[in-house]
Amino acid sequence: MNRKLWVVLLGLCAIVSVGLVLLTGCSKKPSEETNAPATAPPTAASTPIDPATVASVSGTVSFAGTAPKQAKIDMSQDPACKGMNMAETVAADGGKLANVFVYVKSGLGNRTFDVPSAAVTIDQSGCKYHPHVLGVMAGQTLKIVNSDPTTHNIHPTPADNREWNESQPPQAVALEKNFAREEIMLPVKCNQHPWMKMYVNVVKSPFYAVTGPDGKFEIKGLPPGDYTLAFVQEKLGTQEQKVTLTAKDSKTVDATFKAE
């Protein structure tokens, strides 16, 4: 074999070898790629707030006019529910309005906040939900307890969150749920006892409160800024008020709802 032919043959062998390597690399099994550990998406860190500058806002929510009479609820269909009880649609005593959800609707910008590790509890006692109105942060655990000697069926009917419907016998293990997205006045009912109703308010920040029987509320720990407060009542609707808080400020913001 002459020298030129030998060189040509060596060149052809080299080309074939490279091609085989490339084909081997391209034929990697999909499972070898998908089994690689996935990188979790980064979670947004909460925005720090200087504790030396935090402010607070408090106030009283009143009811003007004659408060509507609370409707009587006949619970006799279930002997475990103890007969009669009263609805909580408009709980106004002495001109003060309870069960109003108050929260910072705007002014926090792009701030993010850690989800509390502590759960918020709903108790079913006397065939009523306690509390009637509550607040919880998106993603925070909602713990549902049945203290009654009868079976309940908890059924939230959200507009922007996942709906679920679960039965809970007496003394059963507490249910633990959460809601992923912000939603105000999310209704919860009991399919076993149609008079049982309450509202969960899912928000993005820890700056919220529910008025007590005296109509009072307080929201602490706010960074200085311009805010819009929303006051929400299940029957009477929503009011909004603006407030400006400076460092270490303490402002009073009252609201009044009128009879329909």
Side-chain angles (χ1 to χ4, degrees):
M1 183 179 295
N2 60 40
R3 182 179 180 83
K4 289 183 178 180
L5 182 58
W6 178 252
V7 170
V8 171
L9 289 173
L10 285 176
L12 289 173
C13 289
I15 291 170
V16 171
S17 297
V18 171
L20 289 173
V21 170
L22 290 173
L23 287 172
T24 302
C26 292
S27 63
K28 185 178 181 179
K29 294 180 180 180
S31 61
E32 293 174 349
E33 296 175 351
T34 56
N35 287 340
T39 302
T43 55
S46 61
T47 308
I49 297 174
D50 183 357
T53 65
V54 295
S56 66
V57 59
S58 60
T60 303
V61 180
S62 301
F63 182 83
T66 303
K69 291 183 178 180
Q70 299 290 4
K72 290 184 177 181
I73 299 171
D74 184 359
M75 299 183 178
S76 60
Q77 74 174 52
D78 188 335
C81 293
K82 301 179 181 178
M84 305 295 289
N85 214 314
M86 306 299 290
E88 299 175 279
T89 306
V90 180
D93 185 15
K96 308 305 178 187
L97 194 57
N99 294 327
V100 177
F101 185 68
V102 187
Y103 73 107
V104 174
K105 183 175 182 179
S106 66
L108 292 167
N110 294 323
R111 287 181 178 272
T112 57
F113 304 92
D114 291 330
V115 176
S117 57
V120 175
T121 299
I122 297 173
D123 189 15
Q124 298 160 104
S125 177
C127 292
K128 293 178 72 176
Y129 287 117
H130 303 273
H132 181 65
V133 174
L134 64 75
V136 65
M137 280 186 66
Q140 186 175 5
T141 299
L142 193 61
K143 183 178 178 181
I144 303 148
V145 178
N146 183 6
S147 297
D148 279 330
T150 188
T151 296
H152 290 297
N153 191 277
I154 305 93
H155 186 184
T157 55
D160 298 317
N161 281 279
R162 182 178 65 86
E163 182 175 354
W164 52 271
N165 182 357
E166 289 197 25
S167 181
Q168 191 177 34
Q171 309 304 319
V173 174
L175 298 175
E176 292 192 351
K177 302 288 184 179
N178 66 66
F179 295 104
R181 288 172 290 279
E182 188 171 57
E183 185 167 348
I184 304 302
M185 286 294 170
L186 189 163
V188 180
K189 63 182 179 179
C190 175
N191 289 350
Q192 297 282 68
H193 308 98
W195 62 83
M196 288 181 65
K197 296 177 182 178
M198 69 161 298
Y199 296 89
V200 175
N201 295 273
V202 188
V203 287
K204 297 177 182 177
S205 86
F207 303 119
Y208 62 84
V210 179
T211 59
D214 57 1
K216 295 186 180 300
F217 74 93
E218 184 175 23
I219 299 174
K220 298 179 179 180
L222 278 161
D226 298 318
Y227 298 105
T228 299
L229 293 181
F231 300 79
V232 190
Q233 206 281 337
E234 63 184 90
K235 181 72 173 177
L236 304 175
T238 302
Q239 294 185 18
E240 294 182 3
Q241 293 199 41
K242 295 186 180 298
V243 60
T244 297
L245 298 174
T246 58
K248 300 182 180 181
D249 208 353
S250 179
K251 290 280 181 70
T252 299
V253 179
D254 297 325
T256 300
F257 285 85
K258 296 180 180 180
E260 292 184 323

